[in-house]
């Protein structure tokens, strides 16, 4: 038996990794292959029966997994970011949430005869979308930047809000179903303990992190352990209050000033990927195919109400007073896939509701999974065509993500922005990021190939990546990450390889991309030129003043970087054929000596023109004087 449990755990781990890879490779939400894998292992072939395999341990496993997922989601709920992302996002997570909750509640009550309390719980479970399903869909659909930003931030922010709403509804149901006579008193004590303990734990942990009372290597482990301790302790003090406590604990940490949770959040996200994958396979394997089929037309009716009534109603009501067009609102009305939070929380609550003998609780999980399957599959297959029909697809992505925020990168970004090109600078050096922000350049602080960047780095409109950082160990990682995402021809790096280094240890595919701005151009060379006063200049080349004239003016002191032609951006590399075409906007780095020489040449040309003009005027005066003498 022990060997079987060990083998199944290993199998779930391997399949989880494979499903995540498959979702990434196919540019689809990983929830689809995970769901299919779980259904095949469980109801399909009967290989995996979580209840038999884990027995009494199943509930603690699911319970702790959901606690980690909710805590990680709550860490992303920064109230300042809600304000910073526009009225539409704020309306969707408030007005839209209430409308979706109401529509789903009414639909499940009348179409499936759910009790009102159970219907309210189901409605709360399906208000969430989530970045794990939204972000992969946006990559394949590529709508306009504004629409992509709205959907991304709605998914990020509504995850913890929806989960908190579901927890509150469940707290009410669990207390109301108990034989206690003082329901409101019991509910009040549960909410008081959950909110109070969560806020207190968040504050105390924030103080520990703020004053660096833990060594760096223990920070992530300590936060995870303390969070689980708060979850278990809260449940011991007041049954069912643990989820509320850890959710409030995460929200408090996310909004506490002076507490840096970036590395904690990245660790939690890495852990959550594993938990989400394994948990979703287990949950899908527990799904009763008979119960799913028993939903019949009523279940499909609920799905139709959520997709065709609740979502459009919430979008159009939320869009009142915004600048969104009708096409924008119709697109947003169609894209709202449900994800892992709904599946995990519903499965946990279903187990608890069955223990409380709540009628109809056995249908909660199949119905939530039906909504997940329906929204993810249907919208993944149709969102691209719908965006094309409405005309809300983004044009050719001409923007740049630059890894590195040195002075050269900042100056290049400013010139590109002046020419209407979207630029994002990413760096793990806070001083560079701070200086870039002072120049009003969009930035991402951290590793752009991290899990955190997967969710929070808005790549809408970004078509190429330039790697210009001094971090030699991190550069290849970023290079390969974005080659996989955008294609090998869209990523370029500087040639920072030392001539004496072991080049054979680096792959040929990587070395071929180290051609940015020319064969011998390195980070050190660019930094040295900028330190000596070189400037980045934009020059319009025409038929009368072409590239050869440009080279004649500046000589070898000009390094072409990028040019714009017909609203398209072209990065100059060692593979770029010279001379460059005419009628372009050329962005180049020009040394101080070349600028000085060009100024001297211009001054000499101006003096020569003045002398020539004076000679012409003198000749004309002499001719006029001779003509007057003749008469």
């Amino acid at each position: 038996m022990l060997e079987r449990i060990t083998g199944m755990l290993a199998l779930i781990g391997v399949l989880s990794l494979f499903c995540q890879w498959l979702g990434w490779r196919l540019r689809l939400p990983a929830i689809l292959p995970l769901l299919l894998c779980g259904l095949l292992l469980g109801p399909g072939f009967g290989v995996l029966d979580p209840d038999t395999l884990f027995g009494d341990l199943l509930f603690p496993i699911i319970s702790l997994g959901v606690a980690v997922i909710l805590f990680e989601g709550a860490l992303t709920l920064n109230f300042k970011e809600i304000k910073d992302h526009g009225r539409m996002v704020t309306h969707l997570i408030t007005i839209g949430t209430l409308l979706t909750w109401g529509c789903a509640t009414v639909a499940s009550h009348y179409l499936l005869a759910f009790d009102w309390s159970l219907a309210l719980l189901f409605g709360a479970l399906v208000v969430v979308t989530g970045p794990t399903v939204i972000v992969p869909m946006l990559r394949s659909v590529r709508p306009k930047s504004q629409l992509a930003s709205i959907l991304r931030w709605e998914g990020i922010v509504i995850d913890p809000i929806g989960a908190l709403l579901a927890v509150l509804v469940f707290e009410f149901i669990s207390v109301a179903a108990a034989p206690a006579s003082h329901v409101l008193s019991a509910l009040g004590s549960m909410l008081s303990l959950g909110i109070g303990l969560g806020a207190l734990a968040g504050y105390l942990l924030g103080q520990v992190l703020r004053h660096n009372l833990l060594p760096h290597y223990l920070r992530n482990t300590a936060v995870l352990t303390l969070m689980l301790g708060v979850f278990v302790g809260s449940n011991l003090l007041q049954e069912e209050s643990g989820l509320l406590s850890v959710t409030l604990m995460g929200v408090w940490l996310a909004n506490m000033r002076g507490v840096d949770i970036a590395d904690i959040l990245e660790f939690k996200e890495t852990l959550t990927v594993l938990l989400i994958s394994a948990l979703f396979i287990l949950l899908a394997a527990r799904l009763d195919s008979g119960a799913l089929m028993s939903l019949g037309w009523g279940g499909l009716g609920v799905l139709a109400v959520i997709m065709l009534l609740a979502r459009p109603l919430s979008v159009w009501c939320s869009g009142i007073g915004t600048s969104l067009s009708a096409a924008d609102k119709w697109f947003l009305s169609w894209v709202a896939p449900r994800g892992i939070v709904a599946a995990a929380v519903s499965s946990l609550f279903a187990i608890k509701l069955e223990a409380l003998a709540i009628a109809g609780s056995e249908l909660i999980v199949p119905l939530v999974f039906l909504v997940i399957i329906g929204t993810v599959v249907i919208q993944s297959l149709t969102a691209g065509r719908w965006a094309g029909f409405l005309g809300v697809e983004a044009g050719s992505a001409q923007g740049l993500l630059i890894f590195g925020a040195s002075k050269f990168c900042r100056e290049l970004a400013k010139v590109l922005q002046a020419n209407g090109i979207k630029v994002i600078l990413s760096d793990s050096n806070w001083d560079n990021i701070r200086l870039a922000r002072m120049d009003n350049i969009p930035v991402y602080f951290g590793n752009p190939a991290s899990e955190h960047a997967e969710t929070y780095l808005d790549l809408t409109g970004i078509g190429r990546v330039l790697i210009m950082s001094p971090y030699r160990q991190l550069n290849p990682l970023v290079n390969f990450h974005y080659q996989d995402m955008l294609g090998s021809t869209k990523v370029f790096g500087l040639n920072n390889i030392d001539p004496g280094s072991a080049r054979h240890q680096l792959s040929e595919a990587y070395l071929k991309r180290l051609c940015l701005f020319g064969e011998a151009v390195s980070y050190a060379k660019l930094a040295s030129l900028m330190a000596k006063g070189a400037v980045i200049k934009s020059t319009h080349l025409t038929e009368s003043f072409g590239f050869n004239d440009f080279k004649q003016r500046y000589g070898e002191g000009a390094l072409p970087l990028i040019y714009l032609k017909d609203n398209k951006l072209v990065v100059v590399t060692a593979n770029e054929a010279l001379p460059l075409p005419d009628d372009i906007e050329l962005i180049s780095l020009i040394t101080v000596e070349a600028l000085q020489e060009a100024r001297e040449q211009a001054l000499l040309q101006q003096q020569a023109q003045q002398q020539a003009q004076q000679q012409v005027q003198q000749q004309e005066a002499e001719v006029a004087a001779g003509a007057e003498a003749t008469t």
Side-chain angles (χ1 to χ4, degrees):
M1 184 62 184
L2 290 177
E3 289 78 7
R4 175 173 169 75
I5 294 176
T6 304
M8 291 306 301
L9 287 174
L11 177 63
I12 291 171
V14 172
L15 291 176
S16 300
L17 177 64
F18 174 75
C19 291
Q20 287 285 349
W21 175 85
L22 188 62
W24 163 78
R25 195 67 182 173
L26 299 178
R27 297 182 182 274
L28 290 172
I31 199 170
L32 282 177
L34 287 169
L35 175 64
L36 181 61
C37 180
L39 291 175
L40 290 175
L41 287 177
F45 299 110
V47 176
L48 175 62
D49 183 358
D51 294 273
T52 303
L53 187 66
F54 297 103
D56 293 337
L57 289 176
L58 180 63
F59 176 77
I61 290 172
I62 296 176
S63 183
L64 293 176
V66 171
V68 174
I69 292 171
L70 293 188
F71 179 68
E72 187 270 330
L75 285 175
T76 67
L77 185 54
N78 191 309
F79 295 129
K80 180 179 178 296
E81 290 178 343
I82 298 176
K83 280 193 304 184
D84 291 346
H85 287 87
R87 180 182 298 178
M88 186 63 184
V89 174
T90 305
H91 286 180
L92 281 173
I93 62 175
T94 51
I95 300 171
T97 296
L98 292 175
L99 289 172
T100 303
W101 186 23
C103 291
T105 297
V106 172
S108 60
H109 175 72
Y110 286 105
L111 295 178
L112 289 172
F114 275 15
D115 181 77
W116 277 114
S117 58
L118 201 62
L120 283 169
L121 177 61
F122 168 74
L125 288 168
V126 295
V127 299
V128 296
T129 53
T132 56
V133 285
I134 285 289
V135 172
M137 191 176 295
L138 291 178
R139 284 183 190 152
S140 59
V141 176
R142 294 182 62 183
K144 293 191 304 186
S145 176
Q146 183 185 19
L147 300 181
S149 179
I150 289 171
L151 288 170
R152 283 180 64 255
W153 281 103
E154 179 197 10
I156 291 169
V157 176
I158 206 172
D159 244 1
I161 290 178
L164 181 57
L165 178 63
V167 169
L168 291 174
V169 175
F170 175 76
E171 306 285 6
F172 175 78
I173 294 174
S174 62
V175 172
S181 57
H182 304 289
V183 172
L184 292 179
S185 174
L187 179 62
S189 63
M190 184 180 296
L191 295 180
S192 299
L193 180 68
I195 296 172
L197 183 59
L200 178 62
Y203 172 77
L204 294 176
L205 182 57
Q207 290 294 332
V208 170
L209 297 176
R210 179 187 288 171
H211 294 94
N212 296 313
L213 299 180
L214 289 170
H216 185 75
Y217 75 96
L218 277 181
R219 280 167 60 95
N220 293 333
T221 307
V223 171
L224 175 63
T225 305
L226 291 173
M227 181 274 297
L228 293 176
V230 169
F231 171 71
V232 174
S234 181
N235 279 336
L236 290 176
L237 292 173
Q238 177 65 58
E239 196 174 357
E240 311 303 348
S241 64
L243 292 178
L244 182 59
S245 294
V246 296
T247 304
L248 264 295
M249 181 181 175
V251 172
W252 191 282
L253 278 176
N255 292 276
M256 192 170 178
R257 290 184 179 180
V259 178
D260 182 14
I261 61 170
D263 55 340
I264 297 171
L265 189 57
E266 186 170 344
F267 167 74
K268 290 291 185 301
E269 286 170 342
T270 304
L271 179 64
T272 305
V273 168
L274 176 62
L275 280 174
I276 284 175
S277 304
L279 197 58
F280 202 71
I281 289 178
L282 285 174
L283 298 178
R286 290 188 76 247
L287 191 61
D288 186 351
S289 56
L292 186 63
M293 297 300 295
S294 69
L295 294 173
W297 292 107
L300 294 177
V302 171
L303 175 63
V305 168
I306 291 172
M307 293 180 63
L308 303 178
L309 176 62
R311 180 62 177 179
L313 183 63
S314 65
V315 167
W316 282 84
C317 290
S318 300
I320 296 174
T322 66
S323 59
L324 295 177
S325 66
D328 295 338
K329 293 175 185 176
W330 280 121
F331 176 75
L332 293 175
S333 298
W334 186 242
V335 181
R338 272 58 178 182
I340 185 62
V341 171
V345 178
S346 65
S347 298
L348 176 62
F349 288 169
I351 295 174
K352 295 183 176 182
L353 290 172
E354 288 172 8
L356 295 173
I358 302 294
S361 58
E362 71 279 358
L363 296 178
I364 279 282
V365 173
L367 186 57
V368 169
F369 270 81
L370 177 64
V371 173
I372 293 172
I373 297 169
T375 54
V376 173
V377 173
I378 295 173
Q379 292 171 6
S380 294
L381 295 176
T382 59
R385 294 184 178 88
W386 184 235
F389 174 76
L390 294 172
V392 297
E393 286 181 309
S396 177
Q398 299 299 314
L400 291 176
L401 169 63
I402 299 177
F403 179 44
S406 62
K407 182 179 180 180
F408 171 81
C409 298
R410 298 194 300 271
E411 294 300 318
L412 176 60
K414 287 193 285 187
V415 175
L416 288 168
Q417 284 184 320
N419 283 277
I421 300 298
K422 178 178 178 179
V423 183
I424 301 175
L425 298 185
S426 174
D427 204 314
S428 56
N429 183 311
W430 175 249
D431 289 332
N432 286 342
I433 291 294
R434 179 178 55 81
L435 292 172
R437 282 179 172 169
M438 292 174 64
D439 289 330
N440 294 318
I441 302 171
V443 296
Y444 175 78
F445 176 51
N447 175 9
S450 66
E451 290 292 333
H452 185 269
E454 285 278 329
T455 300
Y456 292 94
L457 180 55
D458 185 3
L459 295 177
T460 307
I462 300 297
R464 295 172 185 81
V465 177
L466 307 185
I467 300 174
M468 297 188 286
S469 86
Y471 316 124
R472 296 191 179 186
Q473 292 182 335
L474 194 53
N475 287 343
L477 175 65
V478 177
N479 189 305
F480 288 121
H481 177 82
Y482 284 98
Q483 280 191 42
D484 291 333
M485 183 182 297
L486 301 176
S488 61
T489 62
K490 303 294 185 181
V491 183
F492 307 93
L494 295 171
N495 190 355
N496 293 327
I497 306 300
D498 293 330
S501 65
R503 293 176 62 92
H504 63 275
Q505 295 180 359
L506 301 169
S507 70
E508 288 299 321
Y510 175 62
L511 292 172
K512 285 180 181 179
R513 309 317 302 164
L514 303 183
C515 57
L516 188 57
F517 309 144
E519 284 284 355
V521 181
S522 64
Y523 175 87
K525 179 178 179 180
L526 294 176
S528 175
L529 291 174
M530 293 300 293
K532 293 176 182 177
V535 298
I536 297 177
K537 183 179 176 63
S538 180
T539 308
H540 187 60
L541 302 187
T542 62
E543 292 184 3
S544 59
F545 184 80
F547 182 69
N548 290 329
D549 300 306
F550 175 82
K551 291 295 290 183
Q552 185 176 358
R553 172 178 293 183
Y554 295 109
E556 296 302 319
L559 177 65
L561 306 173
I562 292 168
Y563 67 84
L564 307 173
K565 184 176 178 62
D566 299 330
N567 296 322
K568 292 186 177 180
L569 181 144
V570 180
V571 179
V572 178
T573 67
N575 304 323
E576 184 72 25
L578 297 177
L580 301 179
D582 295 330
D583 194 23
I584 63 172
E585 193 71 26
L586 176 62
I587 299 171
S588 54
L589 177 68
I590 304 176
T591 63
V592 175
E593 295 80 8
L595 283 172
Q596 183 63 33
E597 186 176 347
R599 291 194 191 100
E600 292 175 355
Q601 289 180 357
L603 182 60
L604 292 174
Q605 289 177 355
Q606 184 179 4
Q607 291 174 350
Q609 289 175 355
Q610 290 176 349
Q611 291 176 358
Q613 187 175 4
Q614 290 175 356
Q615 290 177 356
V616 170
Q617 291 175 349
Q618 184 177 358
Q619 291 175 356
E620 290 177 348
E622 290 174 354
V623 171
E628 184 178 350
T630 303
T631 57

